[in-house]
Amino acid sequence: MGVELVALHWIYLLFIVLIIGFMVARKDTSLICIAGIFLLAAVATHSLSAAVSGVFNSFIYAITELLPTILVISIIVAMSKVLSATGINDVMVSPFVRFIRTPAWAYWTIGILMMIISWFFWPSPAVALMGAVLLPAAVRVGLPALGAAMAMNLFGHGIALSGDFIIQGAPKLTADAAGLPVGDVIAASVPLVFVMGVVTTVTAFSLLRRDMKRGRLASGEAEMAATVDSTLEKTSHFLTGQTKKWLALLIPILFALDVIAMFYLRLQGGEATALVGGTAIFILILISVLAHRQESFAEVTNYFIEGFQFGFKVFGPVIPIAAFFYLGDAGFVKIIGDYLPQASQGIVNDLGAALAHAVPLNNEVGAVTLTIVGAITGLDGSGFSGISLAGSVAHLFSVAIGGGAATLTALGQIAAIWVGGGTLVPWALIPAAAICGVDPFELARRNLIPVAVGLVVTTVVAMFLI
């Protein structure tokens, strides 16, 4: 049997429902998240001062966890500012415009490239690369920035991360928990990842195109014009047309060398992101020195200030909701203290295990339950923290059903990572939103229907494969 659920579990679940409801209703969730943190801390500690302190400590924890992401986003934005201010951005995107002629081409090109790079290096560095090189070209041909963010998000943090065929971090965790060879889980996940990816991205694109036709989304050209105009009026520069062309060629080459270095040095995750961020810093400094000469000392600082202002402005609304969701996992003990039941694996994992023990078992119920368990464990905003539980539940279900262990394991993995890896609630969607300059909560809302439809279809397909 699983851990007995206590008041803390039910309070967390209640606020999850409230937060999702507020997001769907397009309401800000910061106040709800702070209230949830305060109530959880008060119930756990029975102390008013500890509850008040818990809110502040949860913010510190969230900022600490998010800081690498905030930093790389700020640096990429600072670099983008100098590219736009000097006109290098226009020169750099002109070759891509020849190939990316329509919003549809832009959406699918960005998405597929994002997926391929993410398979090898995971999505965070891929977002930075796509944002630096292809985003301006996509926006220039009319794809809304929100559409570009959706493509990066769904193909990278969705398809690539949920399958994880190359790095195999996700299938290794789920396979070990299910007592299966990694190869079996990967093989079982291929058709499910394919179905989930096709259904989700096609649905998202269809809804995006519908809203573009109805005028609900601003055209990419207008967004780009506003951004460039506001930046160009800020400063002058000393670059000649020929120098711009050389720099426009050098920048993609430097990022391509990053990709090669990632591959040969086996850099992944944070290490790969750090390489991309460091490259962006040196590009910013090089262009500032060439463009502003004796004024470059002040201009470098100004570009960094603009980047950090943007980064913290974007992440400001995210920190409270991140602080709440981190309480669902290891963050609870670090922020509030060891007040959960002794055998607890974290609030969200306990809720997922309780659901698994409460349902009758057959192929259909098993598939639906694994999807729900995976989605619930993804609500902590990690995607990876709960997939071991999904593997364990899949093993238990397969014994009761009499087979289908690999398929059930793959299904739980896909549900957990699509929800928790960065397309709905969590923080992996923040890089794509920030790079594209869109509201992360609006991006989560846009992803909700495509991801929900994809999970339903994928679950139905899994029923026939068990």
Side-chain angles (χ1 to χ4, degrees):
M1 292 296 293
V3 176
E4 180 183 357
L5 301 184
V6 297
L8 294 172
H9 294 90
W10 297 113
I11 292 172
Y12 188 87
L13 182 60
L14 171 63
F15 275 90
I16 288 287
V17 174
L18 288 174
I19 290 168
I20 294 173
F22 271 67
M23 292 178 69
V24 171
R26 298 176 181 268
K27 301 292 185 181
D28 190 81
T29 59
S30 295
L31 185 58
I32 298 298
C33 292
I34 293 171
I37 296 166
F38 177 83
L39 187 57
L40 285 169
V43 171
T45 63
H46 303 288
S47 167
L48 179 60
S49 62
V52 173
S53 300
V55 173
F56 184 77
N57 289 333
S58 70
F59 277 40
I60 293 177
Y61 183 88
I63 292 172
T64 303
E65 292 293 314
L66 294 172
L67 192 56
T69 303
I70 297 173
L71 182 61
V72 74
I73 293 302
S74 299
I75 290 169
I76 292 293
V77 169
M79 182 195 71
S80 299
K81 292 287 185 181
V82 73
L83 293 180
S84 296
T86 55
I88 295 173
N89 187 63
D90 291 337
V91 179
M92 191 170 69
V93 303
S94 58
F96 295 102
V97 174
R98 300 174 187 174
F99 300 99
I100 304 177
R101 296 182 178 274
T102 66
W105 272 102
Y107 176 89
W108 294 108
T109 300
I110 286 178
I112 291 170
L113 288 176
M114 178 76 184
M115 177 180 68
I116 293 171
I117 296 174
S118 298
W119 269 333
F120 287 92
F121 310 114
W122 280 358
S124 294
V127 167
L129 290 170
M130 291 294 98
V133 179
L134 289 185
L135 175 63
V139 173
R140 186 64 56 83
V141 298
L143 180 69
L146 186 61
M150 292 172 68
M152 292 183 193
N153 204 214
L154 297 176
F155 279 89
H157 296 97
I159 298 173
L161 196 60
S162 68
D164 199 11
F165 301 133
I166 306 299
I167 300 173
Q168 298 183 5
K172 180 69 165 61
L173 288 172
T174 49
D176 286 350
L180 297 170
V182 176
D184 289 359
V185 175
I186 292 176
S189 71
V190 170
L192 299 180
V193 170
F194 177 78
V195 170
M196 181 71 186
V198 169
V199 171
T200 303
T201 55
V202 170
T203 302
F205 179 71
S206 299
L207 295 174
L208 181 69
R209 186 168 58 178
R210 180 201 66 184
D211 288 344
M212 289 173 64
K213 289 181 178 179
R214 294 179 178 179
R216 294 180 179 176
L217 290 175
S219 72
E221 294 180 66
E223 293 172 337
M224 176 63 77
T227 301
V228 172
D229 289 344
S230 65
T231 308
L232 285 178
E233 65 186 20
K234 169 199 155 179
T235 185
S236 60
H237 60 83
F238 299 96
L239 297 181
T240 64
Q242 190 64 29
T243 304
K244 290 182 188 178
K245 291 180 181 179
W246 281 109
L247 290 172
L249 178 63
L250 176 64
I251 292 166
I253 289 175
L254 290 176
F255 283 122
L257 291 174
D258 280 352
V259 173
I260 294 171
M262 292 175 199
F263 181 79
Y264 282 103
L265 299 177
R266 299 183 180 277
L267 302 179
Q268 301 166 0
E271 292 178 329
T273 302
L275 181 61
V276 172
T279 301
I281 291 175
F282 283 104
I283 290 173
L284 185 156
I285 293 173
L286 173 64
I287 296 174
S288 296
V289 170
L290 293 176
H292 303 296
R293 299 181 185 176
Q294 67 268 23
E295 302 295 329
S296 61
F297 293 96
E299 290 299 330
V300 167
T301 301
N302 290 335
Y303 286 124
F304 277 125
I305 290 173
E306 286 192 57
F308 282 111
Q309 285 177 334
F310 178 87
F312 279 93
K313 180 180 179 180
V314 169
F315 277 84
V318 174
I319 290 170
I321 189 172
F324 175 82
F325 279 101
Y326 282 135
L327 291 178
D329 194 34
F332 189 95
V333 174
K334 294 180 180 179
I335 295 168
I336 297 177
D338 191 7
Y339 293 97
L340 292 172
Q342 186 174 1
S344 174
Q345 298 298 311
I347 292 177
V348 290
N349 284 349
D350 294 346
L351 290 171
L355 174 64
H357 284 290
V359 297
L361 296 181
N362 56 45
N363 287 12
E364 291 75 18
V365 173
V368 171
T369 304
L370 255 298
T371 299
I372 295 174
V373 167
I376 289 175
T377 60
L379 289 175
D380 69 342
S382 165
F384 276 70
S385 65
I387 58 176
S388 293
L389 172 65
S392 299
V393 173
H395 175 71
L396 293 174
F397 278 27
S398 66
V399 172
I401 295 171
T407 299
L408 287 171
T409 301
L411 180 61
Q413 171 183 305
I414 290 169
I417 292 179
W418 271 89
V419 173
T423 65
L424 291 183
V425 174
W427 327 127
L429 65 76
I430 302 301
I435 285 289
C436 297
V438 301
D439 181 2
F441 298 103
E442 179 62 23
L443 177 57
R445 284 190 289 266
R446 296 289 308 194
N447 288 342
L448 180 59
I449 293 178
V451 172
V453 172
L455 286 174
V456 169
V457 175
T458 305
T459 302
V460 172
V461 171
M463 294 176 185
F464 293 97
L465 296 177
I466 294 176

